[in-house]
Amino acid sequence: MKPIRKQHPGTADLQRLFDRLLAAYGPQHWWPAESDFEMIVGAILTQNTAWRNVETALDKMKLEQIWSWDAVLEVPVETLAEVIRPSGYFNQKARKIKLFAYFLDREFERSTDSLFQVPLPDLRDLLLAQWGIGPETADDIILYAAKKPVFVIDNYTRRLTTRLGWEVLPPDYEGHRAMFESLLRPNAEMYGEYHALIDHHCNGTCTKTPKCGDCPIADICEMGRAFKG
DNA sequence: TACCAGGTGACTG
DNA sequence: CAGTCACATGGT
């Protein structure tokens, strides 16, 4: 395999990638949740976990009627852990959900409505200060629940930029976020679609061992072009 | 059967 | 500050 040549992307590259992914896959309409509560709990449950396992856990929570911050505050953490078992890391995640409920209860009248009135970047710092909420989960919440324009980065995003041949400095989470947010107009709706499209693409085609032969954007990708020869 | 999935925090040198 | 590890289930 020949090495991938790297170049700094510009606004046109980011816009083209978005347009091509949208044309290939259509709108994804993320996040799949009917309330801020479901969205935030789902964001915690999906940490390093396949979404289908999260769905099983969410279904069980609903069935057990643990389906509000009030209900989370009521239930023992051991019980919650057992209910969300299918999502994996269930002891840690039960604690994370409980702690988030305590946080809302303590500082925001048990409501995400009042939390989301906090402007950026304070809102982001506040979320990151909570145990169990790292950069991706914080940005998921800000983008898909609070609907404010932060660009969510994940392992899929980093995998894709690497294969596209995009130089991103620094190559970590904040470097990627700064790159997307500095080159794109802040638009929560578009950011949400963009991240969802990247996820869908990396889930089905740009997988760990990529399927470049089936890739709809191989022509704009360093690895895709190398594959085609 | 080993590897992977929409990360995060603790610990180490 | 950068590496390494624990956390855990279900699908392929």
Side-chain angles (χ1 to χ4, degrees):
Chain A
M1 169 96 52
K2 73 181 186 182
I4 290 179
R5 173 152 156 259
K6 289 193 172 184
Q7 273 182 283
H8 285 98
T11 298
D13 298 301
L14 300 203
Q15 189 62 55
R16 177 167 48 245
L17 175 63
F18 177 73
D19 292 343
R20 291 290 304 276
L21 289 174
L22 187 60
Y25 302 119
Q28 302 298 301
H29 305 300
W30 268 21
W31 186 284
E34 293 182 355
S35 65
D36 288 352
F37 171 81
E38 182 180 356
M39 191 275 133
I40 291 168
V41 171
I44 291 170
L45 293 182
T46 200
Q47 290 172 358
N48 201 37
T49 300
W51 181 254
R52 58 179 170 276
N53 292 354
V54 176
E55 286 183 314
T56 308
L58 288 172
D59 288 346
K60 284 190 67 187
M61 281 182 69
K62 204 176 214 172
L63 200 64
E64 299 294 328
Q65 302 191 37
I66 309 170
W67 204 243
S68 65
W69 298 116
D70 289 340
V72 167
L73 288 166
E74 293 287 329
V75 74
V77 68
E78 297 84 2
T79 306
L80 179 57
E82 204 49 46
V83 170
I84 64 170
R85 175 181 277 274
S87 75
Y89 308 125
F90 49 86
N91 288 314
Q92 285 205 348
K93 286 173 177 175
R95 181 165 170 226
K96 292 175 183 181
I97 293 166
K98 285 286 276 186
L99 285 171
F100 199 87
Y102 288 138
F103 162 65
L104 285 179
D105 184 43
R106 208 172 50 240
E107 301 187 36
F108 293 95
E109 301 161 330
R110 220 178 269 198
S111 158
T112 47
D113 292 343
S114 50
L115 169 64
F116 293 160
Q117 286 171 24
V118 176
L120 290 173
D122 292 4
L123 173 59
R124 190 167 193 270
D125 294 337
L126 204 46
L127 290 169
L128 287 174
Q130 308 314 309
W131 190 88
I133 308 296
E136 185 184 343
T137 306
D139 289 342
D140 277 337
I141 293 169
I142 295 166
L143 180 61
Y144 292 111
K147 304 194 185 306
K148 302 183 191 208
V150 295
F151 203 98
V152 177
I153 306 301
D154 57 8
N155 284 325
Y156 286 157
T157 312
R158 285 181 283 254
R159 179 199 292 166
L160 182 58
T161 59
T162 301
R163 291 178 176 172
L164 288 168
W166 290 1
E167 177 102 61
V168 182
L169 294 175
D172 60 7
Y173 190 100
E174 287 305 322
H176 274 74
R177 191 167 74 89
M179 189 270 289
F180 279 97
E181 291 185 8
S182 65
L183 294 175
L184 293 172
R185 200 67 60 82
N187 179 328
E189 176 123 10
M190 186 268 282
Y191 282 11
E193 269 307 324
Y194 207 150
H195 174 67
L197 284 163
I198 290 172
D199 188 84
H200 183 78
H201 176 61
C202 291
N203 221 331
T205 304
C206 200
T207 43
K208 196 120 198 173
T209 57
K211 306 178 171 82
C212 296
D214 299 326
C215 180
I217 62 165
D219 60 306
I220 60 168
C221 175
E222 277 299 314
M223 179 174 275
R225 285 191 290 263
F227 176 84
K228 288 181 7 180

mmCIF file of all heavy atoms in Angstrom, chain A residues 17-40:
data_model
loop_
_atom_site.group_PDB
_atom_site.id
_atom_site.type_symbol
_atom_site.label_atom_id
_atom_site.label_comp_id
_atom_site.label_asym_id
_atom_site.label_seq_id
_atom_site.Cartn_x
_atom_site.Cartn_y
_atom_site.Cartn_z
ATOM 1 N N LEU A 17 -17.292 17.312 0.125
ATOM 2 C CA LEU A 17 -17.495 16.043 0.838
ATOM 3 C C LEU A 17 -18.935 15.937 1.339
ATOM 4 O O LEU A 17 -19.586 14.897 1.165
ATOM 5 C CB LEU A 17 -16.518 15.928 2.015
ATOM 6 C CG LEU A 17 -16.716 14.693 2.903
ATOM 7 C CD1 LEU A 17 -16.490 13.401 2.133
ATOM 8 C CD2 LEU A 17 -15.799 14.755 4.135
ATOM 9 N N PHE A 18 -19.424 17.015 1.940
ATOM 10 C CA PHE A 18 -20.807 17.009 2.435
ATOM 11 C C PHE A 18 -21.799 16.769 1.305
ATOM 12 O O PHE A 18 -22.699 15.917 1.412
ATOM 13 C CB PHE A 18 -21.123 18.337 3.132
ATOM 14 C CG PHE A 18 -22.541 18.437 3.617
ATOM 15 C CD1 PHE A 18 -22.969 17.712 4.720
ATOM 16 C CD2 PHE A 18 -23.456 19.251 2.961
ATOM 17 C CE1 PHE A 18 -24.280 17.801 5.167
ATOM 18 C CE2 PHE A 18 -24.771 19.343 3.401
ATOM 19 C CZ PHE A 18 -25.186 18.617 4.506
ATOM 20 N N ASP A 19 -21.624 17.494 0.211
ATOM 21 C CA ASP A 19 -22.550 17.351 -0.926
ATOM 22 C C ASP A 19 -22.549 15.932 -1.480
ATOM 23 O O ASP A 19 -23.605 15.368 -1.785
ATOM 24 C CB ASP A 19 -22.170 18.334 -2.044
ATOM 25 C CG ASP A 19 -22.402 19.787 -1.638
ATOM 26 O OD1 ASP A 19 -23.138 20.019 -0.655
ATOM 27 O OD2 ASP A 19 -21.824 20.681 -2.296
ATOM 28 N N ARG A 20 -21.354 15.354 -1.580
ATOM 29 C CA ARG A 20 -21.250 14.004 -2.151
ATOM 30 C C ARG A 20 -21.851 12.945 -1.221
ATOM 31 O O ARG A 20 -22.511 12.009 -1.678
ATOM 32 C CB ARG A 20 -19.780 13.694 -2.450
ATOM 33 C CG ARG A 20 -19.199 14.535 -3.599
ATOM 34 C CD ARG A 20 -19.790 14.120 -4.950
ATOM 35 N NE ARG A 20 -19.592 12.705 -5.194
ATOM 36 C CZ ARG A 20 -18.467 12.192 -5.714
ATOM 37 N NH1 ARG A 20 -17.476 12.993 -6.052
ATOM 38 N NH2 ARG A 20 -18.358 10.900 -5.898
ATOM 39 N N LEU A 21 -21.602 13.079 0.076
ATOM 40 C CA LEU A 21 -22.182 12.122 1.032
ATOM 41 C C LEU A 21 -23.702 12.244 1.048
ATOM 42 O O LEU A 21 -24.418 11.230 1.074
ATOM 43 C CB LEU A 21 -21.618 12.375 2.442
ATOM 44 C CG LEU A 21 -20.156 12.000 2.668
ATOM 45 C CD1 LEU A 21 -19.692 12.450 4.047
ATOM 46 C CD2 LEU A 21 -19.921 10.497 2.500
ATOM 47 N N LEU A 22 -24.194 13.476 1.003
ATOM 48 C CA LEU A 22 -25.642 13.693 1.007
ATOM 49 C C LEU A 22 -26.276 13.113 -0.256
ATOM 50 O O LEU A 22 -27.332 12.470 -0.202
ATOM 51 C CB LEU A 22 -25.944 15.185 1.115
ATOM 52 C CG LEU A 22 -27.413 15.572 1.294
ATOM 53 C CD1 LEU A 22 -27.992 14.971 2.563
ATOM 54 C CD2 LEU A 22 -27.573 17.090 1.315
ATOM 55 N N ALA A 23 -25.606 13.308 -1.378
ATOM 56 C CA ALA A 23 -26.120 12.763 -2.643
ATOM 57 C C ALA A 23 -26.125 11.238 -2.620
ATOM 58 O O ALA A 23 -27.036 10.591 -3.140
ATOM 59 C CB ALA A 23 -25.276 13.282 -3.805
ATOM 60 N N ALA A 24 -25.103 10.655 -1.992
ATOM 61 C CA ALA A 24 -24.970 9.197 -1.983
ATOM 62 C C ALA A 24 -25.951 8.535 -1.019
ATOM 63 O O ALA A 24 -26.502 7.467 -1.323
ATOM 64 C CB ALA A 24 -23.540 8.803 -1.611
ATOM 65 N N TYR A 25 -26.160 9.136 0.131
ATOM 66 C CA TYR A 25 -26.906 8.454 1.195
ATOM 67 C C TYR A 25 -28.228 9.122 1.555
ATOM 68 O O TYR A 25 -29.068 8.489 2.210
ATOM 69 C CB TYR A 25 -26.051 8.348 2.456
ATOM 70 C CG TYR A 25 -24.738 7.616 2.248
ATOM 71 C CD1 TYR A 25 -23.518 8.247 2.472
ATOM 72 C CD2 TYR A 25 -24.721 6.282 1.827
ATOM 73 C CE1 TYR A 25 -22.313 7.581 2.296
ATOM 74 C CE2 TYR A 25 -23.524 5.612 1.641
ATOM 75 C CZ TYR A 25 -22.318 6.266 1.875
ATOM 76 O OH TYR A 25 -21.148 5.597 1.695
ATOM 77 N N GLY A 26 -28.408 10.392 1.189
ATOM 78 C CA GLY A 26 -29.624 11.102 1.573
ATOM 79 C C GLY A 26 -29.570 11.580 3.021
ATOM 80 O O GLY A 26 -28.671 11.192 3.777
ATOM 81 N N PRO A 27 -30.545 12.407 3.422
ATOM 82 C CA PRO A 27 -30.563 12.949 4.789
ATOM 83 C C PRO A 27 -30.706 11.841 5.830
ATOM 84 O O PRO A 27 -31.451 10.887 5.633
ATOM 85 C CB PRO A 27 -31.802 13.854 4.800
ATOM 86 C CG PRO A 27 -32.170 14.067 3.376
ATOM 87 C CD PRO A 27 -31.661 12.898 2.612
ATOM 88 N N GLN A 28 -29.983 11.977 6.926
ATOM 89 C CA GLN A 28 -29.981 10.937 7.965
ATOM 90 C C GLN A 28 -30.924 11.255 9.125
ATOM 91 O O GLN A 28 -31.273 10.366 9.898
ATOM 92 C CB GLN A 28 -28.562 10.767 8.514
ATOM 93 C CG GLN A 28 -27.539 10.400 7.443
ATOM 94 C CD GLN A 28 -27.850 9.071 6.790
ATOM 95 O OE1 GLN A 28 -27.922 8.048 7.469
ATOM 96 N NE2 GLN A 28 -28.074 9.071 5.475
ATOM 97 N N HIS A 29 -31.291 12.541 9.255
ATOM 98 C CA HIS A 29 -32.239 12.969 10.298
ATOM 99 C C HIS A 29 -31.833 12.527 11.693
ATOM 100 O O HIS A 29 -32.640 11.994 12.447
ATOM 101 C CB HIS A 29 -33.647 12.443 9.993
ATOM 102 C CG HIS A 29 -34.145 12.834 8.649
ATOM 103 N ND1 HIS A 29 -34.290 14.143 8.257
ATOM 104 C CD2 HIS A 29 -34.510 12.092 7.582
ATOM 105 C CE1 HIS A 29 -34.742 14.187 7.026
ATOM 106 N NE2 HIS A 29 -34.874 12.961 6.579
ATOM 107 N N TRP A 30 -30.561 12.726 12.045
ATOM 108 C CA TRP A 30 -30.125 12.468 13.413
ATOM 109 C C TRP A 30 -30.564 13.600 14.307
ATOM 110 O O TRP A 30 -30.779 14.700 13.827
ATOM 111 C CB TRP A 30 -28.610 12.361 13.441
ATOM 112 C CG TRP A 30 -28.112 10.964 13.268
ATOM 113 C CD1 TRP A 30 -28.777 9.912 12.719
ATOM 114 C CD2 TRP A 30 -26.825 10.487 13.633
ATOM 115 N NE1 TRP A 30 -27.983 8.811 12.723
ATOM 116 C CE2 TRP A 30 -26.775 9.131 13.281
ATOM 117 C CE3 TRP A 30 -25.701 11.078 14.232
ATOM 118 C CZ2 TRP A 30 -25.642 8.351 13.504
ATOM 119 C CZ3 TRP A 30 -24.590 10.315 14.448
ATOM 120 C CH2 TRP A 30 -24.565 8.958 14.089
ATOM 121 N N TRP A 31 -30.638 13.421 15.634
ATOM 122 C CA TRP A 31 -30.381 12.230 16.422
ATOM 123 C C TRP A 31 -31.667 11.423 16.546
ATOM 124 O O TRP A 31 -32.723 12.001 16.737
ATOM 125 C CB TRP A 31 -29.886 12.658 17.814
ATOM 126 C CG TRP A 31 -29.436 11.565 18.725
ATOM 127 C CD1 TRP A 31 -30.227 10.710 19.415
ATOM 128 C CD2 TRP A 31 -28.107 11.245 19.074
ATOM 129 N NE1 TRP A 31 -29.461 9.863 20.180
ATOM 130 C CE2 TRP A 31 -28.146 10.174 19.996
ATOM 131 C CE3 TRP A 31 -26.859 11.750 18.711
ATOM 132 C CZ2 TRP A 31 -26.993 9.621 20.547
ATOM 133 C CZ3 TRP A 31 -25.732 11.192 19.264
ATOM 134 C CH2 TRP A 31 -25.802 10.130 20.166
ATOM 135 N N PRO A 32 -31.629 10.101 16.515
ATOM 136 C CA PRO A 32 -32.849 9.316 16.663
ATOM 137 C C PRO A 32 -33.341 9.290 18.109
ATOM 138 O O PRO A 32 -33.090 8.339 18.827
ATOM 139 C CB PRO A 32 -32.437 7.923 16.198
ATOM 140 C CG PRO A 32 -30.960 7.853 16.477
ATOM 141 C CD PRO A 32 -30.446 9.258 16.293
ATOM 142 N N ALA A 33 -34.028 10.346 18.555
ATOM 143 C CA ALA A 33 -34.573 10.413 19.917
ATOM 144 C C ALA A 33 -35.772 11.335 19.923
ATOM 145 O O ALA A 33 -35.847 12.279 19.140
ATOM 146 C CB ALA A 33 -33.508 10.922 20.887
ATOM 147 N N GLU A 34 -36.698 11.068 20.823
ATOM 148 C CA GLU A 34 -37.930 11.861 20.870
ATOM 149 C C GLU A 34 -37.938 12.892 21.982
ATOM 150 O O GLU A 34 -38.908 13.627 22.141
ATOM 151 C CB GLU A 34 -39.141 10.927 21.029
ATOM 152 C CG GLU A 34 -39.360 10.053 19.800
ATOM 153 C CD GLU A 34 -40.580 9.156 19.935
ATOM 154 O OE1 GLU A 34 -41.191 9.147 21.025
ATOM 155 O OE2 GLU A 34 -40.910 8.473 18.953
ATOM 156 N N SER A 35 -36.873 12.925 22.770
ATOM 157 C CA SER A 35 -36.802 13.914 23.850
ATOM 158 C C SER A 35 -35.336 14.174 24.165
ATOM 159 O O SER A 35 -34.454 13.374 23.818
ATOM 160 C CB SER A 35 -37.504 13.381 25.107
ATOM 161 O OG SER A 35 -36.808 12.242 25.603
ATOM 162 N N ASP A 36 -35.079 15.287 24.846
ATOM 163 C CA ASP A 36 -33.713 15.573 25.269
ATOM 164 C C ASP A 36 -33.221 14.510 26.239
ATOM 165 O O ASP A 36 -32.038 14.132 26.221
ATOM 166 C CB ASP A 36 -33.647 16.951 25.939
ATOM 167 C CG ASP A 36 -33.808 18.074 24.916
ATOM 168 O OD1 ASP A 36 -33.807 17.784 23.711
ATOM 169 O OD2 ASP A 36 -33.929 19.233 25.347
ATOM 170 N N PHE A 37 -34.124 14.019 27.080
ATOM 171 C CA PHE A 37 -33.742 12.949 28.010
ATOM 172 C C PHE A 37 -33.248 11.722 27.254
ATOM 173 O O PHE A 37 -32.158 11.206 27.528
ATOM 174 C CB PHE A 37 -34.948 12.571 28.888
ATOM 175 C CG PHE A 37 -34.717 11.331 29.715
ATOM 176 C CD1 PHE A 37 -34.008 11.406 30.903
ATOM 177 C CD2 PHE A 37 -35.198 10.097 29.291
ATOM 178 C CE1 PHE A 37 -33.780 10.258 31.663
ATOM 179 C CE2 PHE A 37 -34.980 8.953 30.046
ATOM 180 C CZ PHE A 37 -34.264 9.030 31.235
ATOM 181 N N GLU A 38 -34.024 11.277 26.287
ATOM 182 C CA GLU A 38 -33.629 10.096 25.505
ATOM 183 C C GLU A 38 -32.333 10.351 24.737
ATOM 184 O O GLU A 38 -31.472 9.464 24.625
ATOM 185 C CB GLU A 38 -34.746 9.721 24.528
ATOM 186 C CG GLU A 38 -34.432 8.486 23.708
ATOM 187 C CD GLU A 38 -35.551 8.116 22.735
ATOM 188 O OE1 GLU A 38 -36.601 8.777 22.760
ATOM 189 O OE2 GLU A 38 -35.347 7.173 21.954
ATOM 190 N N MET A 39 -32.188 11.560 24.217
ATOM 191 C CA MET A 39 -30.991 11.906 23.459
ATOM 192 C C MET A 39 -29.735 11.824 24.330
ATOM 193 O O MET A 39 -28.730 11.228 23.944
ATOM 194 C CB MET A 39 -31.177 13.335 22.902
ATOM 195 C CG MET A 39 -30.134 13.760 21.875
ATOM 196 S SD MET A 39 -28.696 14.393 22.687
ATOM 197 C CE MET A 39 -27.420 13.542 21.804
ATOM 198 N N ILE A 40 -29.808 12.422 25.507
ATOM 199 C CA ILE A 40 -28.641 12.478 26.390
ATOM 200 C C ILE A 40 -28.301 11.086 26.938
ATOM 201 O O ILE A 40 -27.141 10.680 26.951
ATOM 202 C CB ILE A 40 -28.892 13.481 27.538
ATOM 203 C CG1 ILE A 40 -28.935 14.907 26.974
ATOM 204 C CG2 ILE A 40 -27.813 13.359 28.615
ATOM 205 C CD1 ILE A 40 -29.460 15.946 27.943
#
